[in-house]
Amino acid sequence: PLYREIARNYWRGRGKDGAPIITFPEFAGFSEIPDDDFLNVVTYLTSIPSLEAASIGFIIIIDRRRDKWSAVKASLTRIAGAFPGNLQLVFVLRPSRFIQRAIADIGIKLYRDDFKMKVPIIMLNSVSDLHGYIDKSQLTRELGGTLEYGHSQWIHHRTAIENFAMTVKTTAQMLQSFGTDLAETELPNDVQCTEELLSSHTEHHSKLKDELKLAVKQGATLLTCIREPVTRSANSKLSPDELENVATVERLLAQLDETEKAFDQFWTKHHLKLEQCLQLRHFEHDFREVKLTLDNLMETQAGFTDIGDSVTRVENLLKEQKHLEEKGQEPLEKAQSLALHGEQLIQNNHYAVDSIRPKCVELRRICDDFTNETKKKYDILGKSLELHKQLDKASQWCEAGIYLLASQAVDKCQSQEGAETALVEIEKFLVTAKEHQLSNPKEIVQKLEDVQEMFDKRQVSLKKLAAKQTRPVQPVAPHPESSPKRASPKITRPPAVGSHIINELIETERVYVEELQSIIEGYASEMDNPNLVHLIPSALQNKKEVLFGNLPEIYYFHNRIFLKEIENCIENPELLARCFLKRKEDLQIYEKYCQNKPRSEALWRQCGDSIFFQECQRKLDHKLSLDAYLLKPVQRITKYQLLLKEMLKCSKNSEGTAELEEALATVLDIIKSVNDSMHQIAITGYEGDVSELGKLLMQGSFNVWTDHKKGHNKVKDLARFKPMQRHLFLYTKMLLFCKKREENTDGHEKTASYSFKNSLKMSTVGITENVKGDNKKFEIWYNGREEVYIIQASSVELKNTWISEIRKVLTGQLEACRGRAHRAAAGNAPLLSASQDPQ
């Protein structure tokens, strides 16, 4: 009530220059108003005008015509000390009584400086004097003016405006809070949770939109109420206060509109993100189901290895293959449809392109594999059927031939006429032999040859008999063992498969050594030939080691050592594994060769067309150019892997199997080291020496998210959902984070490089093996989770392999630390020496 009384007695108008006017009319309780209340009311009144009007400066009118000089002095003192706005003028209507007016004139001269006002204080004798400064239309009737002022209406409008301002502020805060919640929401990993999240966010969004509509409606209603006098009467005009109120409400409505537009724009992006997330989860769910069906289908197809041993068996196998093909049509169509759907998602700018595209490729690959494998099966079975039909015919021909020979009576063949008749029968029968000529299998070929031989011998005999007449010979029944029907072809068994593989290994090793020798003698040595120096391009001068790497070292090892050792295994194949295990360290020379290969290839691309190489190739009579032969070492180490695998297949559950498995593991480890080293040399931007980081244990590409407590502002926008693509290198001492880059080199295939981004010392990291919501994620954290890296592998198996290697590193560090502590305790020595890293 006190506030309302103060405000009721203080009205406002405008000066000639638009300056806001605040009048302090006569009020008996003015001196009794507490300072805080007075300051609050005046502060509120000065905040109502626009910034432009307030910047002109306020005009103060103090009406003390019925008061004493003491009231004038008290008013000036209070206003000077508490007025918060910019003052322009102060008008004082003197006390009207003669004595008080005289005292006021004297007092204002004596105490003017005490008021500490930097603006003029104009003492007026009457309202007429005031009209000379301020137009009557801006003064109320108490001051002789015409300004209409309804205090209740003013209070009603101001209260409504303040309520609406609070509504606008509250609504904006709700929208901001909801937007923050949306930005911090982690996308679910399954269909149901995504649908629930989308439904929840959509429902909340609808409620907030309803709140916005109510706020806009409130502001529009308030604006209509303020403009009501002008609407009711065309001759009416809004007062300056009412115009200020209109401007305030319009400004609040504009602010509300801007907030709504910003929120709608953010919601559109977030809603699209959620819809795309739901599409992705449906796609992933369907992919898993279709992939499982296709894998089972491929597994069933892989089990069809039988090609049949008879016409009937092959025909049954063809029926089974047909049934499998028909069974696979539906999942294949689903896979093709799902792949097409995935491509449509990519075309629609889906955010998870990197996740969808590999799955589409995988689906199409499996479909193509099944189709190609089915075609291959039909082709093989078709050939098998044709072969067995030919075999049956050949077998029937052999049986018929044997029967023909057996049925020709020997006594009848003793006469010339009988011999000629038998000869004609044989010749007619032999005409059909060409229809049954086969190259496989050996048993049938042998049988055909044996029958053919029988007929040849019989022909020779009959021709002799037909040529001359001989005396009759007493017929004698043939012994059972001489009967043609009992003739059995000899079947030779192939040599042991293990020996065959050893022979292949030795033969290819000899060829390999000869090729290495021809490269060194025909190319490398010729680079030092003074007769050919003029043919060598300048870019190749003194670059022999770059082009050939450590090829001479490889040649020396194979020619002097390895070839001789595997040649000793020809009689004892089981000793082959020991050769590889014995030469495990020597075979590391291939890692050095492969590390130099990019430099060699770059040099070849620059100089490969030179006349020097053409001349060397001509002399060697090589059909392929040098670059093809420089790939031989890489191909050779892979050949060892294949031959050992074949050897292992033939030696399952036999003596030496364990050593073969160990030898194969050794070769695979060498291949892995070679592969890892090829990636390692492509690291760029790392200022240290990678050789000091210990052994390279693992390397591979991952999705990586970061969550740092210090030094980084927490990301609160939708971009945080997109992971970084990083290639990780795990050493015994350090974990490197790099970004993979691919670029074309002089029109050749893309080469990868790895731009260094960050590193973590393995002595200061910890690991969290499982991350909620995704079984392919794990965490590596640093300094007590001050920095957390969430890493997503492409498969659960890859994740487990990395976790196992990291765990080995950390366990090894712990055991080493315990060992040092034990030695320090035993020998009273310091735990760390001066050369050791305290971390």
Side-chain angles (χ1 to χ4, degrees):
L2 180 61
Y3 276 51
R4 292 193 176 188
E5 182 63 21
I6 298 171
R8 186 180 68 82
N9 290 297
Y10 297 84
W11 53 270
R12 299 181 300 127
R14 290 291 185 273
K16 294 179 180 180
D17 57 356
I21 300 173
I22 298 180
T23 302
F24 291 83
E26 292 177 327
F27 177 52
F30 182 83
S31 60
E32 298 174 2
I33 299 173
D35 290 339
D36 290 340
D37 291 344
F38 175 80
L39 179 61
N40 287 337
V41 172
V42 174
T43 301
Y44 177 75
L45 292 174
T46 55
S47 68
I48 295 175
S50 65
L51 292 176
E52 181 180 0
S55 64
I56 299 173
F58 288 85
I59 297 176
I60 302 295
I61 300 176
I62 303 174
D63 186 3
R64 292 295 179 263
R65 286 175 291 175
R66 298 178 184 178
D67 272 336
K68 300 178 181 178
W69 158 246
S70 59
V72 174
K73 180 181 178 183
S75 299
L76 289 172
T77 303
R78 169 168 280 189
I79 292 170
F83 193 84
N86 179 28
L87 282 174
Q88 184 186 103
L89 285 173
V90 176
F91 294 103
V92 179
L93 287 171
R94 297 185 173 92
S96 57
R97 286 176 290 180
F98 178 79
I99 296 175
Q100 292 299 325
R101 179 177 294 182
I103 295 173
D105 290 339
I106 297 170
I108 195 67
K109 293 178 181 179
L110 293 175
Y111 295 98
R112 181 183 295 272
D113 294 335
D114 293 344
F115 297 138
K116 298 180 181 179
M117 287 189 179
K118 297 180 180 180
V119 298
I121 301 175
I122 301 174
M123 304 295 291
L124 303 173
N125 294 323
S126 64
V127 292
S128 299
D129 295 340
L130 181 61
H131 296 163
Y133 294 94
I134 300 173
D135 191 87
K136 291 182 180 181
S137 63
Q138 299 301 315
L139 298 172
T140 57
R141 293 179 180 178
E142 290 83 353
L143 295 176
T146 60
L147 178 64
E148 295 293 334
Y149 175 72
H151 186 63
S152 297
Q153 185 184 49
W154 185 86
I155 291 291
H156 174 72
H157 285 173
R158 290 309 308 176
T159 303
I161 290 172
E162 297 300 336
N163 289 337
F164 178 58
M166 182 58 66
T167 300
V168 172
K169 181 179 179 181
T170 303
T171 303
Q173 289 175 342
M174 288 192 299
L175 295 178
Q176 179 65 32
S177 176
F178 181 54
T180 301
D181 290 342
L182 296 185
E184 293 180 344
T185 300
E186 185 171 353
L187 294 180
N189 290 319
D190 60 83
V191 173
Q192 182 179 351
C193 292
T194 306
E195 288 177 340
E196 291 173 355
L197 183 64
L198 179 60
S199 175
S200 172
H201 283 188
T202 303
E203 182 180 356
H204 197 169
H205 170 261
S206 299
K207 290 180 179 179
L208 288 175
K209 289 292 289 186
D210 291 339
E211 294 288 337
L212 274 168
K213 290 178 181 177
L214 288 176
V216 172
K217 185 177 180 181
Q218 178 185 351
T221 303
L222 177 57
L223 198 60
T224 302
C225 290
I226 297 173
R227 289 173 173 168
E228 192 268 341
V230 177
T231 306
R232 188 174 60 249
S233 174
N235 297 326
S236 298
K237 292 184 179 180
L238 296 179
S239 67
D241 280 347
E242 290 171 332
L243 290 173
E244 286 285 354
N245 290 343
V246 168
T248 300
V249 175
E250 288 177 342
R251 184 174 66 252
L252 290 171
L253 283 171
Q255 180 182 341
L256 197 61
D257 182 65
E258 290 176 0
T259 302
E260 182 178 13
K261 287 180 180 178
F263 174 73
D264 286 344
Q265 185 178 7
F266 177 79
W267 168 254
T268 299
K269 293 181 180 178
H270 179 74
H271 188 258
L272 176 62
K273 185 83 171 186
L274 285 180
E275 287 184 332
Q276 289 186 342
C277 178
L278 183 58
Q279 292 171 348
L280 177 62
R281 300 303 174 236
H282 277 298
F283 178 81
E284 290 174 340
H285 178 265
D286 295 341
F287 173 81
R288 286 191 291 269
E289 290 186 346
V290 172
K291 178 73 162 49
L292 179 61
T293 305
L294 291 177
D295 287 344
N296 293 335
L297 199 64
M298 293 294 293
E299 185 177 355
T300 303
Q301 189 184 59
F304 277 81
T305 57
D306 190 3
I307 62 173
D309 54 3
S310 66
V311 172
T312 303
R313 176 58 180 160
V314 175
E315 288 176 344
N316 289 334
L317 288 174
L318 282 169
K319 290 179 181 179
E320 292 176 7
Q321 184 63 41
K322 182 67 175 177
H323 175 70
L324 180 63
E325 183 184 22
E326 292 172 352
K327 181 182 177 182
Q329 287 306 308
E330 183 178 352
L332 286 176
E333 289 174 0
K334 286 184 178 179
Q336 294 288 1
S337 176
L338 187 59
L340 180 61
H341 176 57
E343 290 173 354
Q344 290 173 347
L345 292 179
I346 294 173
Q347 291 175 358
N348 292 334
N349 298 321
H350 197 285
Y351 72 88
V353 172
D354 293 339
S355 174
I356 296 173
R357 181 174 284 116
K359 293 180 174 61
C360 294
V361 173
E362 177 71 2
L363 289 173
R364 295 196 185 281
R365 182 192 63 77
I366 296 177
C367 291
D368 291 341
D369 287 350
F370 181 83
T371 302
N372 294 335
E373 194 64 24
T374 300
K375 184 179 179 182
K376 189 186 298 182
K377 294 285 186 184
Y378 275 125
D379 185 53
I380 293 173
L381 290 175
K383 291 179 179 178
S384 177
L385 181 62
E386 183 63 25
L387 177 61
H388 282 294
K389 285 181 179 179
Q390 292 181 14
L391 291 177
D392 286 351
K393 290 181 180 179
S395 181
Q396 291 171 6
W397 184 85
C398 290
E399 295 295 333
I402 294 172
Y403 178 80
L404 174 62
L405 294 176
S407 64
Q408 290 180 338
V410 177
D411 57 335
K412 293 182 180 180
C413 296
Q414 299 305 312
S415 66
Q416 183 176 3
E417 182 180 356
E420 288 177 348
T421 302
L423 187 60
V424 169
E425 290 176 349
I426 290 174
E427 289 174 350
K428 286 182 178 180
F429 187 80
L430 288 176
V431 171
T432 63
K434 294 181 179 179
E435 301 174 7
H436 308 289
Q437 294 300 316
L438 300 172
S439 58
N440 275 306
K442 293 182 179 180
E443 291 83 354
I444 299 298
V445 174
Q446 186 66 45
K447 189 172 183 178
L448 286 170
E449 291 174 353
D450 291 345
V451 173
Q452 182 73 44
E453 184 179 356
M454 291 179 188
F455 275 95
D456 292 341
K457 291 180 179 179
R458 179 66 63 87
Q459 276 184 307
V460 171
S461 300
L462 290 174
K463 285 179 180 179
K464 290 179 179 179
L465 291 171
K468 61 179 181 177
Q469 182 65 39
T470 59
R471 63 186 181 85
V473 178
Q474 183 67 28
V476 180
H479 292 288
E481 62 270 20
S482 64
S483 173
K485 284 191 176 183
R486 295 183 180 271
S488 177
K490 295 182 179 180
I491 302 174
T492 58
R493 298 182 61 84
V497 179
S499 298
H500 171 74
I501 296 173
I502 287 289
N503 289 334
E504 181 182 356
L505 175 60
I506 292 173
E507 288 303 318
T508 55
E509 184 74 10
R510 289 169 178 165
V511 172
Y512 176 52
V513 169
E514 290 174 0
E515 289 175 338
L516 293 180
Q517 182 180 3
S518 68
I519 296 171
I520 293 172
E521 295 179 354
Y523 286 99
S525 298
E526 290 297 289
M527 290 182 69
D528 299 325
N529 186 344
N531 296 326
L532 298 177
V533 171
H534 64 284
L535 299 179
I536 300 176
S538 58
L540 192 60
Q541 296 287 345
N542 302 318
K543 295 289 181 66
K544 182 165 67 174
E545 290 75 15
V546 175
L547 184 61
F548 296 98
N550 63 331
L551 197 67
E553 183 183 5
I554 295 175
Y555 168 68
Y556 179 87
F557 167 70
H558 284 272
N559 184 45
R560 298 290 184 87
I561 301 172
F562 202 58
L563 176 58
K564 291 181 173 57
E565 290 183 353
I566 62 176
E567 284 177 338
N568 294 332
C569 300
I570 193 166
E571 299 296 333
N572 300 295
E574 64 275 6
L575 299 178
L576 178 64
R578 298 179 188 176
C579 292
F580 283 93
L581 295 176
K582 179 182 177 182
R583 298 301 173 184
K584 178 178 179 180
E585 297 300 326
D586 295 317
L587 289 170
Q588 297 296 328
I589 56 179
Y590 282 93
E591 182 174 345
K592 181 179 178 182
Y593 182 80
C594 291
Q595 286 178 344
N596 180 68
K597 200 71 180 67
R599 298 172 63 209
S600 174
E601 290 176 349
L603 185 59
W604 173 258
R605 286 194 294 269
Q606 187 178 0
C607 309
D609 295 333
S610 69
I611 300 175
F612 170 76
F613 291 119
Q614 295 175 11
E615 179 64 19
C616 292
Q617 182 178 346
R618 186 189 63 78
K619 289 182 179 180
L620 291 170
D621 196 24
H622 281 178
K623 295 181 179 180
L624 300 176
S625 57
L626 173 62
D627 59 326
Y629 287 92
L630 291 176
L631 287 173
K632 295 292 182 179
V634 181
Q635 296 167 348
R636 189 59 186 169
I637 197 70
T638 307
K639 181 69 174 179
Y640 291 147
Q641 170 200 352
L642 298 175
L643 290 173
L644 285 172
K645 283 184 178 179
E646 289 298 320
M647 196 76 178
L648 194 57
K649 286 180 183 178
C650 304
S651 308
K652 280 292 184 183
N653 302 321
S654 63
E655 185 179 356
T657 300
E659 286 187 334
L660 275 172
E661 290 176 344
E662 189 177 354
L664 177 59
T666 297
V667 173
L668 290 175
D669 186 54
I670 292 171
I671 293 175
K672 178 182 179 298
S673 297
V674 167
N675 184 51
D676 289 346
S677 67
M678 294 294 289
H679 288 276
Q680 176 180 266
I681 62 174
I683 297 176
T684 62
Y686 181 69
E687 295 182 356
D689 186 354
V690 293
S691 63
E692 297 177 357
L693 303 183
K695 183 180 180 181
L696 177 59
L697 304 174
M698 301 283 287
Q699 56 83 24
S701 295
F702 297 87
N703 292 332
V704 178
W705 293 263
T706 59
D707 185 7
H708 301 334
K709 291 182 179 178
K710 296 181 180 179
H712 301 272
N713 292 324
K714 189 173 182 181
V715 178
K716 292 186 178 181
D717 53 46
L718 297 177
R720 74 189 295 271
F721 296 123
K722 185 174 182 180
M724 297 179 290
Q725 305 298 317
R726 291 292 182 263
H727 200 90
L728 273 57
F729 292 85
L730 175 63
Y731 296 87
T732 53
K733 296 181 181 180
M734 193 82 75
L735 177 64
L736 301 186
F737 290 78
C738 300
K739 184 174 183 179
K740 185 176 182 181
R741 305 181 187 277
E742 290 186 344
E743 53 188 21
N744 291 324
T745 307
D746 299 333
H748 292 76
E749 62 182 10
K750 291 183 177 180
T751 58
S753 64
Y754 303 97
S755 177
F756 172 75
K757 293 296 181 183
N758 193 15
S759 63
L760 298 177
K761 284 187 177 180
M762 293 305 295
S763 59
T764 59
V765 303
I767 185 172
T768 303
E769 298 185 8
N770 296 302
V771 176
K772 184 178 179 182
D774 193 337
N775 59 359
K776 292 184 291 185
K777 288 182 179 179
F778 63 97
E779 290 182 344
I780 294 179
W781 39 269
Y782 183 71
N783 280 353
R785 298 187 69 84
E786 179 181 315
E787 298 180 13
V788 179
Y789 297 85
I790 304 169
I791 300 172
Q792 183 186 51
S794 58
S795 66
V796 176
E797 292 75 13
L798 181 61
K799 165 197 163 181
N800 292 336
T801 302
W802 273 74
I803 287 177
S804 176
E805 286 297 329
I806 294 173
R807 195 188 299 121
K808 288 178 184 177
V809 173
L810 299 182
T811 303
Q813 291 176 351
L814 180 60
E815 291 176 352
C817 184
R818 288 174 177 172
R820 290 195 299 269
H822 178 72
R823 289 193 299 274
N828 197 22
L831 185 60
L832 293 174
S833 65
S835 62
Q836 288 179 310
D837 186 350
Q839 294 186 4

